[in-house]
């Protein structure tokens, strides 16, 4: 078996020990004589898997009892609609900050259910910056302030938390679990699982309990966080196998030393890669220094006619999925938790070799 280095932005690499454990438990989960996928979501086995996953996640992130943890479906994109439906009320207004493609999608969806005020935008810098908070035009009566702590496509990350009277609502899809955060700073944290949590099909929502029960009268039951909270995320059939795998990833993170340890490792990986890019005139990253993502590192070649050869040779060298998003071109290395330092070292070696041969 040859496992290759996977820099995919999502669905992304999973830790090898997690895949091995899932393989070993696939046919016969803990002596039950069947796989976890084949059991009722109301069975004691699946309920225990869900409870354990939630408990481990609460420990990892330091989530207090005043927050509900919901395991849902539909991806972060469904939450773009669920957020306004749960929080905006009738004729409400919400503030949004536009720092890239995912912010834009959240803004477009929010505007379908109420008034969206775009408090700040970095579109004029081609999304290579985060507008300083002093420039934000917040509304006096906003139901919430929505922003995207890590823009997966542009590779732009906040290393600070905005000041806001309204609850902060954040799409943490591509930065969650990469480093510690103070959950109490936020009203709602949501994330699709397929970057840093587990396989696609699971969506995580962490919501402060006082924000439950405010949903729009037309809000579908499946999008209503209170319905999910009241039913322990089992109002309907949850994605049981994805939840089981997420639980294994949470266990793995704990065994690595938790989120402090992941931050140390993730910073080391990112610093190396940015140093390699900055140290050459052959490669470039456009993002302002203080906002460079630890998880998604886009880069371009000085001569973009070499892009195709770069990608083909990288693939042949066992370095997969380095193509940039179709909206921005170039390359992107996504270096989530499950992408080891060995993968980053291999990528840097390849980049330097490619430059020597083509520079
Ligand atoms: C991947 C991603 C999304 C989209 O997630 P889906 O689960 O595919 O809906 C939304 N926001 C961010 C920041 C992402 O990285």
């Amino acid at each position: 078996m040859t496992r290759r280095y996977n820099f995919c932005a999502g669905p992304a690499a999973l830790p090898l020990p997690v895949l091995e454990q899932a393989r070993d438990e696939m046919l016969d989960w803990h002596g039950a004589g069947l796989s976890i996928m084949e059991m009722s979501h109301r069975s004691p086995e699946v309920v225990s898997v869900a409870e354990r996953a939630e408990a481990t996640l609460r420990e990892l992130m330091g989530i207090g009892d005043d927050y509900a943890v919901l395991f849902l479906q539909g991806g972060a994109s469904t939450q773009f609609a669920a957020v306004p439906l749960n929080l905006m009320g009738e004729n409400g207004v919400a503030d949004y900050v536009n720092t890239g493609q995912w912010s834009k999608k959240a803004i477009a969806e929010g505007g379908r259910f109420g008034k969206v005020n775009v408090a700040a935008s970095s579109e004029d810098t081609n999304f290579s910056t985060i507008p300083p908070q002093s420039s934000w035009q917040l509304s006096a009566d906003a139901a919430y302030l929505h922003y995207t702590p890590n823009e997966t496509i542009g590779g732009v990350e906040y290393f600070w938390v905005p000041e806001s009277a309204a609850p902060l609502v954040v799409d943490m899809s591509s930065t969650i679990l990469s480093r510690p955060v103070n959950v109490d700073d936020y009203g709602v944290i949501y994330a699709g699982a397929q970057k840093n949590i587990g396989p696609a099909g699971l969506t995580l929502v962490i919501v402060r309990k006082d924000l439950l029960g405010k949903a729009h009268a037309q809000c579908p039951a499946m999008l209503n966080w209170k319905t999910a909270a009241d039913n322990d995320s089992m109002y309907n059939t949850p994605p049981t196998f994805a939840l089981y795998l997420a639980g294994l990833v949470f266990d793995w993170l704990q065994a690595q030393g938790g989120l402090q340890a992941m931050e140390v490792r993730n910073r080391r990986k990112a610093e190396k890669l940015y140093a390699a890019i900055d140290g050459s005139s052959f490669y470039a990253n456009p993002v302002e220094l203080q906002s460079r993502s630890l998880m998604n590192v886009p880069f371009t070649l000085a001569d973009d006619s070499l892009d195709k050869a770069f990608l083909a040779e990288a693939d042949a060298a066992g370095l997969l999925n380095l193509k940039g998003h179709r909206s921005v071109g170039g390359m992107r290395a996504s270096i989530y938790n499950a992408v080891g330092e060995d993968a980053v070292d291999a990528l840097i070696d390849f980049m330097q070799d490619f430059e020597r041969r083509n520079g």
Side-chain angles (χ1 to χ4, degrees):
M1 178 193 70
T2 315
R3 294 267 305 163
R4 300 200 282 165
Y5 293 125
N6 182 11
F7 299 94
C8 193
L14 286 163
L16 183 58
V18 165
L19 296 174
E20 287 170 337
Q21 185 175 345
R23 175 198 61 197
D24 294 345
E25 295 179 344
M26 181 68 79
L27 302 186
D28 179 9
W29 184 84
H30 294 207
L34 67 167
S35 76
I36 194 85
M37 272 186 274
E38 302 167 284
M39 295 180 194
S40 165
H41 55 295
R42 311 214 182 268
S43 65
E45 291 89 345
V46 174
V47 169
S48 77
V49 163
E51 285 175 352
R52 186 185 153 102
E54 176 176 337
T56 313
L57 179 69
R58 281 183 181 274
E59 236 178 87
L60 276 170
M61 291 186 69
I63 304 170
D65 291 338
D66 48 339
Y67 285 78
V69 172
L70 310 177
F71 295 113
L72 307 175
Q73 299 190 57
S77 302
T78 297
Q79 294 306 312
F80 294 163
V83 165
L85 280 165
N86 278 278
L87 296 180
M88 241 189 205
E90 318 285 330
N91 307 314
V93 56
D95 290 332
Y96 280 72
V97 179
N98 180 16
T99 48
Q101 305 300 333
W102 291 117
S103 297
K104 273 185 152 176
K105 288 200 165 162
I107 289 166
E109 200 72 348
R112 295 158 62 89
F113 303 101
K115 190 169 173 304
V116 159
N117 167 48
V118 178
S121 170
S122 59
E123 194 149 19
D124 60 341
T125 68
N126 204 17
F127 298 126
S128 63
T129 58
I130 294 172
Q133 172 142 23
S134 56
S135 70
W136 298 11
Q137 305 284 326
L138 299 176
S139 329
D141 51 350
Y144 58 89
L145 166 59
H146 181 284
Y147 71 102
T148 311
N150 185 63
E151 287 282 359
T152 320
I153 293 171
V156 175
E157 181 164 1
Y158 288 70
F159 294 95
W160 49 283
V161 178
E163 306 270 341
S164 169
L168 295 177
V169 176
V170 288
D171 172 3
M172 275 199 192
S173 294
S174 50
T175 177
I176 194 159
L177 301 174
S178 67
R179 55 189 173 94
V181 295
N182 181 15
V183 172
D184 293 336
D185 288 339
Y186 306 96
V188 181
I189 294 171
Y190 65 94
Q194 67 274 20
K195 278 78 185 234
N196 234 356
I197 296 175
L202 176 71
T203 310
L204 173 68
V205 176
I206 302 165
V207 51
R208 212 173 62 215
K209 286 178 180 167
D210 65 292
L211 297 173
L212 296 171
K214 299 171 182 285
H216 193 284
Q218 305 283 324
C219 179
M222 282 297 294
L223 298 188
N224 191 321
W225 296 330
K226 184 162 191 325
T227 305
D230 288 348
N231 290 279
D232 294 328
S233 302
M234 299 218 186
Y235 175 73
N236 79 326
T237 315
T240 51
F241 191 68
L243 182 47
Y244 153 76
L245 271 171
L248 298 185
V249 171
F250 301 154
D251 290 343
W252 176 80
L253 285 170
Q254 263 192 337
Q256 304 305 300
L259 302 191
Q260 272 96 358
M262 294 319 296
E263 172 166 20
V264 171
R265 192 186 298 183
N266 286 327
R267 282 194 185 277
R268 204 164 53 221
K269 283 154 49 186
E271 277 164 16
K272 271 186 184 181
L273 186 49
Y274 286 115
I277 292 167
D278 293 344
S280 115
S281 50
F282 191 80
Y283 300 105
N285 167 283
V287 180
E288 62 177 344
L289 291 184
Q290 72 270 25
S291 306
R292 284 173 155 187
S293 170
L294 296 183
M295 294 286 102
N296 308 98
V297 181
F299 60 95
T300 52
L301 307 190
D303 174 2
D304 65 10
S305 71
L306 290 170
D307 285 9
K308 269 206 168 100
F310 181 94
L311 290 167
E313 290 179 31
D315 193 279
L319 306 164
L320 306 187
N321 294 313
L322 286 163
K323 194 172 180 356
H325 190 267
R326 59 189 188 283
S327 67
V328 295
M331 319 299 157
R332 172 177 49 172
S334 293
I335 49 174
Y336 299 117
N337 284 337
V339 178
E341 198 166 343
D342 54 338
V344 175
D345 290 339
L347 172 59
I348 293 170
D349 285 348
F350 171 80
M351 288 169 69
Q352 291 173 343
D353 181 56
F354 188 85
E355 178 176 355
R356 265 193 299 277
R357 288 184 287 107
N358 296 279

